[in-house]
C-alpha cells in the first residue's frame, strides 16, 4: 500500500471516529436540552471533536509515515494529484448540495441549533467523502 | 485613420479569441459572468433595500423572493446563452467531455471545495455564536457563490493556459 493511500485510510478512520464521538456527545446534549436549545450548548462537543480528531489524525499520519518512511518525504506525484482532484470533486458536489439544502431550510426557520449541527455534519461528512474517495481511487488503481 | 475606427482592431481580436475558445470555456465564461452579475445585484439590493439595523434583519419572504427572482433570471440567461453557444459550436457542442475537459472540471471543483470549506468553517462554526440568522444564511450563500466563482475562474484559466492535467 502506498503512503498516501495509508494516509487516506488513517484520516478516514480518525475523522469518522471523531465524528462518532461528536454524535455521541450531541445525543447526550439533546437528551438534556432538546433540539432547539442555545447554540452555545454544543461548544464542548465541538471542541472535543476538533481536539480528538487532531490528536487521532497526528497519530494516524505518524503511523502511516513510520510504515513508509521513504515515501512520506516524497512530494505528491501526478497520480496523487489526480486522485486528490477526483476525491475533492465528489466532496465538493456533496458539500455544495448540502449547503444549498441548508440555506433553503434556514429560509424556512430551522432552529440555529439544528443549523449549526447540520453545517458541522456537512463539513465532517464532506471530508469523510474525500478521504473515502482517495482510498477508493488508490485501491481501484486510478 | 479616423478615431471612430479605433475600436475595430480590438473587436477583431475579441472575435478571434472567441473563435479560438473551446466550447466548455465559453460555457464557463457565460456561467461565471451571469453568476457574478446576478449575485452582485442580489447582495447590493440586500445591503441597500433592507434595513440591516433591524434586529430581525430583512423579512424572510422578501429575501426569498429576491433570491428566487435573481436565481431564476440567472438560470434562464445561462440556458439561453448555452443553447446559443451549442448551436454555434455545432459538433463540439454535442460532443461528450474528453479527458482534458474532465481533468479541468475536477481541478476547478477541487479548488472550489477548499474555498467552500473555509467559508463553511466561518459560517457554521464561528458566525452562529454572534451573528443573526439572516446574516448566516446570506454568508452561506456568499460562500457558495465565491466557491463557484473560483471553480469557473480556474476552469477558464486552465483552458486559457493550455493546462492538460
Amino acid at each position: 500500500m502506498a503512503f498516501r493511500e495509508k494516509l487516506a485510510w488513517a484520516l478516514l478512520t480518525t475523522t469518522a471516529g471523531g465524528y462518532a464521538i461528536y454524535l455521541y456527545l450531541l445525543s447526550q446534549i439533546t437528551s438534556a436540552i432538546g433540539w432547539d436549545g442555545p447554540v452555545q450548548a454544543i461548544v464542548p462537543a465541538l471542541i472535543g471533536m476538533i481536539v480528538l480528531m487532531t490528536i487521532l489524525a497526528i497519530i494516524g499520519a505518524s503511523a502511516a509515515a513510520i510504515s513508509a518512511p521513504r515515501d512520506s518525504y516524497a512530494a505528491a506525484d501526478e497520480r496523487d494529484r489526480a486522485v486528490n482532484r477526483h476525491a475533492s470533486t465528489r466532496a465538493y458536489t456533496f458539500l455544495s448540495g448540502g449547503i444549498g439544502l441548508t440555506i433553503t431550510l434556514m429560509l424556512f426557520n430551522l432552529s440555529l441549533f439544528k443549523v449549526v449541527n447540520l453545517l458541522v455534519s456537512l463539513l465532517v461528512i464532506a471530508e469523510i467523502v474525500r478521504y473515502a474517495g482517495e482510498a477508493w481511487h488508490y485501491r481501484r488503481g486510478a | 485613420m479616423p478615431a471612430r475606427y479605433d475600436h475595430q482592431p480590438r473587436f477583431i481580436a475579441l472575435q478571434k479569441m472567441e473563435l479560438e475558445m473551446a466550447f466548455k470555456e465559453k460555457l464557463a465564461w457565460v456561467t461565471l459572468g451571469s453568476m457574478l452579475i446576478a449575485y452582485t445585484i442580489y447582495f447590493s439590493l440586500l445591503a441597500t433595500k433592507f434595513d440591516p439595523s433591524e434586529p430581525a434583519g430583512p423579512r424572510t419572504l422578501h429575501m426569498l423572493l429576491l433570491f428566487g427572482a435573481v436565481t431564476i433570471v440567472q438560470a434562464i440567461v445561462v440556458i439561453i446563452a448555452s443553447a446559443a453557444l451549442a448551436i454555434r459550436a455545432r459538433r463540439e457542442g454535442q460532443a461528450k467531455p474528453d479527458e482534458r475537459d474532465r481533468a479541468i472540471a475536477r481541478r476547478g471543483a477541487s479548488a472550489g471545495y477548499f474555498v467552500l470549506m473555509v467559508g463553511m468553517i466561518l459560517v457554521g462554526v464561528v458566525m452562529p455564536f454572534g451573528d443573526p440568522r439572516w446574516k448566516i444564511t446570506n454568508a452561506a450563500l456568499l460562500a457558495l457563490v465565491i466557491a463557484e466563482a473560483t471553480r469557473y475562474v480556474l476552469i477558464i484559466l486552465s483552458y486559457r493556459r493550455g493546462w492538460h492535467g
Side-chain angles (χ1 to χ4, degrees), chain B residues 25-91:
Chain B
E25 186 188 344
K26 287 179 196 168
L27 273 187
W29 274 111
V30 165
T31 316
L32 176 68
S34 64
M35 198 175 75
L36 288 180
I37 292 168
Y39 290 104
T40 303
I41 291 171
Y42 173 76
F43 286 112
S44 305
L45 285 176
L46 196 73
T48 55
K49 296 280 177 196
F50 299 111
D51 185 6
S53 62
E54 277 181 38
R59 283 170 191 265
T60 307
L61 182 68
H62 293 161
M63 223 163 71
L64 197 63
L65 285 175
L66 181 61
F67 175 65
V70 164
T71 308
I72 289 168
V73 170
Q74 190 225 345
I76 291 169
V77 168
V78 170
I79 289 167
I80 292 170
S82 305
L85 285 175
I87 291 165
R88 279 189 66 172
R90 289 175 196 157
R91 225 180 279 173

Side-chain angles (χ1 to χ4, degrees), chain A residues 11-12 15-16 19 53 84 86-99 117-134, chain B residues 112-114 116-118 120-121:
Chain A
L11 292 174
L12 172 63
T15 309
Y19 185 55
M53 267 185 192
N84 182 277
H86 263 286
S88 299
T89 302
R90 291 225 169 93
Y92 180 69
T93 308
F94 170 81
L95 188 60
S96 51
I99 289 163
N117 281 296
L118 195 56
L119 288 175
V120 169
S121 296
L122 283 173
L123 285 174
V124 179
I125 296 170
E127 279 296 271
I128 291 173
V129 167
R130 185 161 77 93
Y131 296 135
E134 282 185 7
Chain B
Y113 174 67
F114 291 103
L116 193 56
M117 262 284 168
V118 174
M120 277 307 111
I121 288 170

Side-chain angles (χ1 to χ4, degrees), chain A residues 39 43 46 78 85-86 88-89 91-92 95-96 99 103 106-107 109-112 116 119 123 126-127 130, chain B residues 60 63-64 106-107 109-110 112-113 116-117 120 124-125 128-129 133 136-137 140-141 144 147-148 151 163 165:
Chain A
V39 74
V43 171
L46 204 59
E78 193 43 56
R85 284 195 294 267
H86 263 286
S88 299
T89 302
Y92 180 69
L95 188 60
S96 51
I99 289 163
I103 292 171
M106 280 178 85
L107 290 171
N109 282 333
L110 190 73
S111 75
L112 205 53
V116 173
L119 288 175
L123 285 174
E127 279 296 271
R130 185 161 77 93
Chain B
T60 307
M63 223 163 71
L64 197 63
R106 285 194 290 263
R107 190 185 191 210
S110 181
Y113 174 67
L116 193 56
M117 262 284 168
M120 277 307 111
V125 184
F129 298 99
R133 284 177 60 89
I136 299 171
T137 311
L141 182 64
L144 208 53
E148 278 290 283
R151 183 163 83 90
W163 188 79

Side-chain angles (χ1 to χ4, degrees), chain A residues 20-93:
Chain A
I21 299 288
Y22 174 76
L23 288 180
Y24 171 73
L25 292 173
L26 186 66
S27 72
Q28 300 293 309
I29 294 165
T30 50
S31 63
I33 62 162
W35 279 96
D36 294 316
V39 74
Q40 285 78 7
I42 61 156
V43 171
L46 204 59
I47 291 173
M49 178 182 73
I50 293 167
V51 170
L52 190 74
M53 267 185 192
T54 310
I55 293 168
L56 288 176
I58 290 168
I59 294 169
S62 305
I66 289 165
S67 66
R70 224 182 288 168
D71 276 7
S72 62
Y73 288 106
D77 62 14
E78 193 43 56
R79 184 184 171 226
D80 296 325
R81 287 196 291 271
V83 164
N84 182 277
R85 284 195 294 267
H86 263 286
S88 299
T89 302
R90 291 225 169 93
Y92 180 69
T93 308

